[in-house]
């Protein structure tokens, strides 16, 4: 395998499969070379949904770029975690060339997304072709939406995953983890319509400023122009149902890779390089991956000195000892922040539409199929269905909160959970994800270094 094109050095790559098994050659190289190179602080970054290794490598190159200049005297090493996830290629990433984030028009699947589905759901080519054909043709019958939902269910349910449903849960009730994707088991046509309505509202909000300009230029009222931007299109909702099904599979896989793969490997590092300080960083579902890695650490291992979550795509109650809406429930990772010999820092942004609008709606449908009456949820802090990347860690006693500028001026806490509102820089991106992938900023690199007390 050719060396990845990442501008920092020393850099290592760790590739995991869906079961959490790591490439043995890459693992052994890291375990051998990190002590030889005299690395003292190792930054380990896990991507969220990326369709291939080149996309992940490009992200790592961009994110790691400022680190050497910010900490010129530190003996840094860098690790990029590559795991089998995917990104729908109509999700824009700010500053990435169009070939990487080519937007598709309407609900039809572009070639990049088809290829990504085939890669992360091997052996399901026929199902992917059938799903793509229906999104291309958009038949105007209720039965077609139900058939589409059936195909999506098959794509997710029949894909072999490592056993253990707790990897898909973010909270645990007295009866056990709540992890069955009920949104895929109910009325598929109704789910598609609800997704379509929410996406239309998101488009109307994003295009409101454009609508004002169009109305002024044409002499038409802005209300009518906004309505034309925001009309619900049911097959957009079907496309979103497929996206959410894929995300559910990736969410489950992120937990598996973190706990069964990355956590034990970090434990091995503590044996071969006892003085090495590890700093875990995760974007989107990569935030879930590095958080579950804490649960996979061998007993007594204390080499993880910081965890930084960037727009993390899982429940803001994941670390809670008690759920505000259910005294019998708790976060599936409650107490895991104590495995960090340093702080667990959560960066969030109100401009993340993926986590502020679509994620809570999908979470509500996944967890309570009987409540599909009004799924157009308000973007409220403290929502039962909220995500870490939208409003930070919730219901964890002692959590400290900062604006980004204040966090960069102050000394961060040396332990516990820390919320940082990064909306000042994480603010660019188009529908449907908003600023979800706008994470390559010097300020966020500074947060990682500050969290780990790297100088």
């Amino acid at each position: 395998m050719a060396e990845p094109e990442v501008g920092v050095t020393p850099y290592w790559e760790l590739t995991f499969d869906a079961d959490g098994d790591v490439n043995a050659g890459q693992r052994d190289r890291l375990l051998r070379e990190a002590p030889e190179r005299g690395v003292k602080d190792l930054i380990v970054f896990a991507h969220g949904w990326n369709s291939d290794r080149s996309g992940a490598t490009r992200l790592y190159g961009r994110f790691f770029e400022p680190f050497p200049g910010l900490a010129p005297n530190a003996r840094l090493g860098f690790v990029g975690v590559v795991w089998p996830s995917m990104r729908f290629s109509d999700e824009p990433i700010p500053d990435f060339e169009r070939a990487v984030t080519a937007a598709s028009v309407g609900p039809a699947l572009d070639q990049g997304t088809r290829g990504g589905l085939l890669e992360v759901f091997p052996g399901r080519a026929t199902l992917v072709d059938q799903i793509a054909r229906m999104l291309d043709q958009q038949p105007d019958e209720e039965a077609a939406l139900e058939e589409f939902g059936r195909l999506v269910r098959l794509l997710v349910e029949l894909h072999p995953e490592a056993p253990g449903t707790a990897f898909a849960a973010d909270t645990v009730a007295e009866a056990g983890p709540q992890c069955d994707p009920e949104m895929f088991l109910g009325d598929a046509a109704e789910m598609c319509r609800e997704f379509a309505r929410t996406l239309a509202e998101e488009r109307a909000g994003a295009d409101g400023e454009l609508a004002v300009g169009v109305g002024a230029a044409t002499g038409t009222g802005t209300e009518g122009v906004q309505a034309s931007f925001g009309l619900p299109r049911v097959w957009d909702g079907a496309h979103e149902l497929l996206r959410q099904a894929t995300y559910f599979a990736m969410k489950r896989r992120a937990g598996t890779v973190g706990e069964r793969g990355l956590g034990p490997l970090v434990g091995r590092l503590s044996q071969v390089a006892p003085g090495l300080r590890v700093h875990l960083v995760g974007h989107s579902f990569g935030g879930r991956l590095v958080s579950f890695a804490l649960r996979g650490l061998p007993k007594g291992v204390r080499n993880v000195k910081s965890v930084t979550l960037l727009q993390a795509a899982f429940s803001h109650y994941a670390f809670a000892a008690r759920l505000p809406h259910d005294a019998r429930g708790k976060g599936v990772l409650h107490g895991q922040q104590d495995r960090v010999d340093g702080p667990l820092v959560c960066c969030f942004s109100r401009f993340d539409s993926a986590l502020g609008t679509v994620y809570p709606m999908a979470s509500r449908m996944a967890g309570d199929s009987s409540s599909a009456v009004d799924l157009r949820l308000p973007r409220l802090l403290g929502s039962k269905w909220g995500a870490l990347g939208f409003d930070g860690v919730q219901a964890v006693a002692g959590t400290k909160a900062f604006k980004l500028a204040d966090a960069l001026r102050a000394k961060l806490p040396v332990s516990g959970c820390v919320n940082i509102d990064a909306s000042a820089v994480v603010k660019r991106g188009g529908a449907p994800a908003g600023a979800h992938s706008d994470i390559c900023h010097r300020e966020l690199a500074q947060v990682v270094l500050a969290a780990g007390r790297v100088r």
Side-chain angles (χ1 to χ4, degrees):
M1 181 180 293
E3 286 294 312
E5 295 181 4
V6 175
V8 293
T9 186
Y11 173 82
W12 296 274
E13 205 164 79
L14 291 174
T15 303
F16 294 87
D17 66 15
D19 297 323
D21 294 325
V22 67
N23 179 294
Q26 293 177 337
R27 175 200 62 204
D28 293 345
R29 179 175 171 235
L30 171 64
L31 294 174
R32 181 181 68 254
E33 293 184 2
E36 291 176 354
R37 301 287 291 269
V39 173
K40 293 300 182 185
D41 288 280
L42 189 68
I43 315 294
V44 180
F45 192 170
H47 65 76
W49 40 75
N50 282 274
S51 56
D52 54 28
R53 172 176 174 259
S54 65
T57 300
R58 191 177 295 107
L59 172 65
Y60 296 151
R62 283 282 314 284
F63 188 80
F64 287 147
E65 183 179 2
F67 279 80
L70 290 171
N73 298 319
R75 297 164 73 176
L76 296 174
F78 304 88
V79 171
V81 172
V82 178
W83 59 287
S85 182
M86 72 165 288
R87 171 182 60 83
F88 275 58
S89 57
D90 61 346
E91 295 176 2
I93 299 177
D95 298 334
F96 273 38
E97 62 269 26
R98 186 171 180 81
V100 178
T101 59
S104 60
V105 177
L109 291 186
D110 57 72
Q111 287 301 117
T113 301
R114 291 190 193 205
L117 289 171
L118 292 171
E119 183 175 343
V120 299
F121 296 111
R124 295 288 171 262
T126 300
L127 276 174
V128 171
D129 287 345
Q130 289 175 303
I131 287 169
R133 190 177 308 115
M134 293 194 77
L135 288 172
D136 284 339
Q137 296 173 352
Q138 303 175 41
D140 188 22
E141 300 98 16
E142 189 85 354
L145 292 172
E146 290 298 334
E147 172 63 9
F148 183 83
R150 185 185 74 84
L151 294 174
V152 169
R153 286 196 295 270
L154 287 175
L155 184 68
V156 175
E157 292 171 6
L158 293 184
H159 179 59
E161 289 282 353
T165 55
F167 291 125
D170 285 344
T171 59
V172 182
E174 197 170 53
Q178 181 81 348
C179 50
D180 291 334
E182 295 183 22
M183 79 171 90
F184 310 124
L185 305 180
D187 185 330
E190 181 61 22
M191 294 300 101
C192 291
R193 283 191 288 269
E194 294 296 346
F195 275 127
R197 281 193 281 268
T198 296
L199 292 173
E201 290 175 358
E202 190 67 25
R203 277 199 309 272
D207 293 325
E209 190 173 323
L210 174 62
V212 171
V214 172
T218 61
T220 60
T222 60
E223 187 175 310
V225 176
Q226 283 185 303
S228 69
F229 278 115
L231 289 175
R233 300 180 301 213
V234 69
W235 281 97
D236 282 354
H239 185 273
E240 187 59 37
L241 183 68
L242 172 63
R243 187 196 306 270
Q244 293 299 329
T246 303
Y247 288 176
F248 177 82
M250 297 307 102
K251 173 184 176 181
R252 179 172 52 193
R253 187 175 291 175
T256 303
V257 173
E259 184 166 346
R260 294 183 171 175
L262 183 59
L265 193 152
V266 171
R268 289 278 301 276
L269 274 170
S270 72
Q271 296 174 346
V272 302
L276 183 65
R277 308 171 77 247
V278 177
H279 309 278
L280 301 179
V281 184
H283 169 236
S284 190
F285 280 143
R288 198 172 194 273
L289 190 157
V290 299
S291 297
F292 268 74
L294 299 174
R295 210 165 74 165
L297 288 176
K299 187 176 180 179
V301 169
R302 300 291 291 173
N303 62 340
V304 176
K305 303 303 179 181
S306 68
V307 174
T308 304
L309 307 179
L310 305 173
Q311 304 311 116
F314 61 112
S315 173
H316 57 192
Y317 293 134
F319 295 96
R322 287 288 178 271
L323 303 181
H325 54 276
D326 181 0
R328 300 169 302 169
K330 57 189 175 184
V332 73
L333 295 172
H334 69 98
Q336 292 301 319
Q337 65 270 23
D338 297 333
R339 300 299 308 274
V340 185
D341 188 21
L344 184 145
V345 176
C346 178
C347 294
F348 64 92
S349 171
R350 67 181 179 274
F351 298 111
D352 188 331
S353 301
L355 301 184
T357 300
V358 179
Y359 175 90
M361 180 185 62
S363 297
R364 183 176 179 180
M365 286 194 284
D368 184 2
S369 60
S370 65
S371 63
V373 177
D374 183 8
L375 299 175
R376 290 164 287 173
L377 302 180
R379 292 155 67 125
L380 295 177
L381 299 183
S383 163
K384 177 180 178 181
W385 307 109
L388 285 160
F390 184 69
D391 61 4
V393 174
Q394 301 292 318
V396 175
T399 298
K400 305 299 183 184
F402 296 86
K403 294 286 188 182
L404 179 60
D406 296 331
L408 296 178
R409 283 193 297 264
K411 284 189 176 181
L412 293 180
V414 298
S415 64
C417 293
V418 180
N419 285 332
I420 296 180
D421 183 349
S423 302
V425 298
V426 181
K427 57 186 179 182
R428 296 179 301 153
H436 184 66
S437 294
D438 185 21
I439 62 167
C440 293
H441 295 283
R442 180 183 179 89
E443 293 89 345
L444 298 184
Q446 288 178 276
V447 167
V448 173
L449 294 170
R453 304 178 297 285
V454 178
R455 296 174 181 85

